[in-house]
Amino acid sequence: MAAPATSAPSAPPAPVAPGDLSEGGSRGPPDLPPEPKQLPELIRLKRDGGRLSDVDIRGFVRAVVDGSAHGAQIGAMLMAIRLRGMDLEETVALTRALATSGQQLEWPEAWRSQLVDKHSTGGVGDKVSLVLAPALAACGCKVPMISGRGLGHTGGTLDKLESIPGFTVIQSPEQMQGLLEQVGCCIVGQSKKLVPADGILYEARDVTATVDSLPLITASILSKKVVESLSALVVDVKFGGAAVFPSQAQARELAEVLVGVGAGLGLRVAAALTAMNNPLGRSVGHSLEVEEALLCMDGAGPPDLRDLVTRLGGVLLWLSRQAETQDEGAARVAQTLDDGSARDRFERMLAGQGVDPGLARALCSGTPAQRRQLLPRAREQEELHAPGDGTVELVQALPLARVLHELGAGRSRAGEPLRPGVGAEVLVSVGQRLRRGMPWLRVHLDAPALSAAQRRALQEALVLSDRAPFAAPSPFAELVLPPPRTMSTHTQQ
């Protein structure tokens, strides 16, 4: 289903530098470099639709990090960017300035072509990273995955892993290198030393209604990947009812910017557009998603999860020249799920990141029932039943996630505690025929029971139709590839 490569928008001609008389004319003494603009002047320039130079952008980011930019000035600049936009070169410059605002990760030169990563814009039941990182490690890759926490209705990879007793997401660069040497992958949190400017701008965006700015989203995502010194990156851009972007066209717009800016930074980036109307897989909630990820690494589990893991992995192996084709790469990833080598890497990653080796071994070698005894569990379970006969058209992910959020599976602000055992198991598949009274959802909760409003919201999430049963489509809709010139050159950092 891969779409033809989508070229990034062409960059405008480079401006003539002061004193550059290469087009003719008399040669006088070179002009002195211009004085750096003050922040109010930079804000005014962008507010009025002007273009910020590399020097302007570096000056703004430097002021953000050293504290000389006031909160009001940061908010004003973010709003100016949100309303006026940035061209490709500006977005490349902003990404580079954010990436160089803190510590850089450096790896052995021999790893250069092996370093790959994946990023998702966030979804419901999205446990792909838990499976894909160890699967890629089993294929010979190095995966230094810097991940995030959940906020709002989307779950965070770090929160899911922290439901495993002892798992530690804070790792120093030296510890990360050790994990990559011994295991081939690590999944860690963003330290304050890495991309500190992005951390400040991210918080400011959240309270200034500038979260949906394409240049700001792009710079935030890619700056954290540039510091990883990657060979290739795939970004899973979600669209649909439970995604940031409701339509595939809106998701494609971000995908093309990500790919184009990546090319401008010398990073091979591909962007997959994947549907997020239904939850991914059958389980939603931290402990439950860890169980389902392990099931996928047993060579079993929901077909939509396996399909997305193998396709995204296949793209990365091909993009980093470790496979001749995407299909060959996908087959290699699938093999690691079927032969247990991905699960072995996952076990080693758990032990390397603080989990007791005995617990890691028991989790990875146990049956699903045994695994459930080893992870946090909710106090109660409640099943919902189909209100009538029909074929499952849709299990709406957003209302399901909102109810689980109310029950403690999500957070409304950074730092809030979570209930790792809270979640839900979808007991039916899209396209399946149901009879009235059949159980379709099992909710795991710490409260005594669902409220009437919660029960009603969940029942309304199940959409039935009269049509014949059908095979559920893959969530993988489209692939945006880097321009050919990026594919044919080696990554330069």
Side-chain angles (χ1 to χ4, degrees):
M1 292 184 66
T6 304
S7 298
S10 57
V16 177
D20 183 355
L21 302 176
S22 56
E23 294 301 314
S26 60
R27 291 184 177 275
D31 293 345
L32 294 173
E35 286 290 317
K37 299 184 183 74
Q38 298 298 306
L39 278 179
E41 188 179 354
L42 292 178
I43 295 166
R44 188 181 306 113
L45 176 61
K46 179 48 69 178
R47 180 200 68 187
D48 295 341
R51 184 180 181 282
L52 299 176
S53 69
D54 281 17
V55 172
D56 294 337
I57 290 168
R58 287 198 304 270
F60 168 66
V61 171
R62 188 164 48 246
V64 168
V65 175
D66 69 21
S68 59
H70 301 302
Q73 292 175 315
I74 294 172
M77 177 62 89
L78 292 176
M79 186 57 73
I81 292 170
R82 165 65 181 80
L83 296 176
R84 291 296 192 171
M86 282 182 148
D87 65 24
L88 184 68
E89 288 188 348
E90 285 178 295
T91 309
V92 168
L94 177 60
T95 306
R96 186 179 287 116
L98 294 180
T100 56
S101 66
Q103 187 176 9
Q104 306 296 295
L105 295 173
E106 297 180 358
W107 316 113
E109 181 63 29
W111 292 2
R112 176 169 289 275
S113 65
Q114 300 169 271
L115 287 155
V116 300
D117 197 3
K118 165 258 178 193
H119 176 84
S120 171
T121 57
V124 178
D126 185 0
K127 69 281 293 177
V128 167
S129 292
L130 276 64
V131 183
L132 184 57
L136 289 167
C139 291
C141 296
K142 305 292 185 184
V143 190
M145 190 176 285
I146 299 174
S147 197
R149 298 193 179 279
L151 190 62
H153 72 270
T154 61
T157 297
L158 300 182
D159 299 316
K160 294 166 192 177
L161 286 167
E162 283 185 335
S163 72
I164 303 171
F167 191 90
T168 306
V169 302
I170 302 302
Q171 303 288 327
S172 69
E174 294 76 22
Q175 289 171 315
M176 289 177 69
Q177 180 161 337
L179 285 161
L180 294 184
E181 287 172 350
Q182 300 298 319
V183 182
C185 64
C186 58
I187 302 179
V188 304
Q190 181 182 348
S191 79
K192 292 184 178 179
K193 294 182 180 179
L194 292 175
V195 205
D198 175 64
I200 297 168
L201 295 186
Y202 190 91
E203 288 184 6
R205 285 166 57 207
D206 198 37
V207 296
T208 55
T210 54
V211 169
D212 61 347
S213 163
L214 288 184
L216 296 177
I217 292 172
T218 300
S220 179
I221 291 172
L222 292 185
S223 61
K224 292 190 279 287
K225 301 307 178 183
V226 168
V227 300
E228 294 177 4
S229 303
L230 301 174
S231 167
L233 170 70
V234 66
V235 183
D236 182 358
V237 183
K238 304 288 189 189
F239 67 90
V244 176
F245 301 102
S247 74
Q248 189 170 337
Q250 291 170 303
R252 187 184 301 115
E253 187 178 358
L254 172 61
E256 290 173 348
V257 174
L258 285 164
V259 170
V261 172
L265 293 164
L267 174 62
R268 290 192 291 274
V269 180
L273 308 186
T274 68
M276 181 41 66
N277 294 306
N278 301 283
L280 183 61
R282 296 287 193 90
S283 295
V284 182
H286 302 98
S287 293
L288 294 176
E289 290 189 44
V290 170
E291 291 179 30
E292 189 163 80
L294 284 163
L295 202 58
C296 186
M297 287 183 272
D298 290 337
D304 60 340
L305 174 59
R306 179 184 171 99
D307 180 67
L308 204 50
V309 168
T310 55
R311 286 191 189 226
L312 294 176
V315 170
L316 273 174
L317 290 177
W318 170 72
L319 204 59
S320 60
R321 301 189 182 88
Q322 297 181 72
E324 290 294 322
T325 65
Q326 292 177 44
D327 287 345
E328 178 196 314
R332 285 180 55 194
V333 173
Q335 182 63 34
T336 71
L337 305 179
D338 294 334
D339 67 15
S341 57
R343 190 180 59 232
D344 175 65
R345 297 288 177 145
F346 187 71
E347 178 186 335
R348 289 157 60 185
M349 184 184 78
L350 296 185
Q353 292 192 233
V355 177
D356 179 89
L359 174 57
R361 161 55 58 182
L363 266 177
C364 292
S365 62
T367 65
Q370 290 168 334
R371 288 167 178 163
R372 184 153 295 184
Q373 300 298 318
L374 299 169
L375 293 169
R377 290 183 295 164
R379 289 195 289 268
E380 305 291 341
Q381 294 183 19
E382 185 172 333
E383 288 189 350
L384 299 185
H385 299 86
D389 295 351
T391 298
V392 180
E393 285 288 334
L394 179 66
V395 177
Q396 296 183 79
L398 186 57
L400 174 58
R402 283 177 170 162
V403 170
L404 294 179
H405 183 279
E406 289 175 14
L407 294 171
R411 55 170 69 88
S412 299
R413 57 183 183 275
E416 272 189 324
L418 295 171
R419 296 179 180 271
V422 168
E425 297 172 87
V426 180
L427 306 176
V428 298
S429 301
V430 169
Q432 178 183 339
R433 187 73 179 174
L434 291 188
R435 294 290 181 189
R436 177 184 175 86
M438 287 178 62
W440 74 271
L441 185 73
R442 182 180 299 124
V443 182
H444 297 244
L445 66 166
D446 285 336
L450 293 167
S451 70
Q454 289 169 339
R455 201 174 288 111
R456 183 168 57 252
L458 291 174
Q459 288 289 31
E460 289 173 356
L462 176 66
V463 180
L464 301 177
S465 74
D466 293 330
R467 69 166 165 157
F470 60 93
S474 167
F476 195 106
E478 186 180 341
L479 184 65
V480 180
L481 294 173
R485 64 180 180 275
T486 310
M487 294 293 296
S488 61
T489 58
H490 288 285
T491 303
Q492 298 293 324
Q493 295 299 337

